[in-house]
Amino acid sequence: MPRLGKIYDIEIEVTSKPKAEYSTDEYYELDLPVAPAVMVGETIVTEGKDVEDIEIEKEICRQLGLPVPESGKKGIMGRLFGK
């Protein structure tokens, strides 16, 4: 996440609480996604599971009106030759 904050002109806010706090009535009343979760603006990118960095980056680009990056990890040849 900090890497994306350096690439794009965005503010990253991380909220971390003890697991027990995510299952309280007060938390559910906030209408936030089930932890672990990632939200970009009001959009829930993932809820209750991990997510690849590229999916977060895609949503950031959509919301900033920037071209969405190609998905997937590059293999070693792609990284070496920029493909």
Side-chain angles (χ1 to χ4, degrees), residues 15 27 32-39 44-49 51:
T15 303
Y27 182 79
L32 293 172
V34 176
V38 174
M39 292 179 70
I44 299 170
V45 179
T46 188
E47 180 175 15
K49 62 183 178 180
V51 66

Side-chain angles (χ1 to χ4, degrees), residues 11-63:
E11 179 181 325
I12 305 271
E13 180 180 331
V14 177
T15 303
S16 180
K17 300 178 181 191
K19 189 174 181 178
E21 286 189 42
Y22 291 111
S23 55
T24 63
D25 290 337
E26 292 82 15
Y27 182 79
Y28 289 113
E29 288 174 9
L30 296 174
D31 199 29
L32 293 172
V34 176
V38 174
M39 292 179 70
V40 176
E42 297 295 318
T43 303
I44 299 170
V45 179
T46 188
E47 180 175 15
K49 62 183 178 180
D50 291 335
V51 66
E52 296 288 329
D53 290 351
I54 189 70
E55 298 305 317
I56 300 168
E57 188 169 1
K58 285 179 182 180
E59 186 57 36
I60 290 169
C61 289
R62 282 186 199 102
Q63 292 197 22

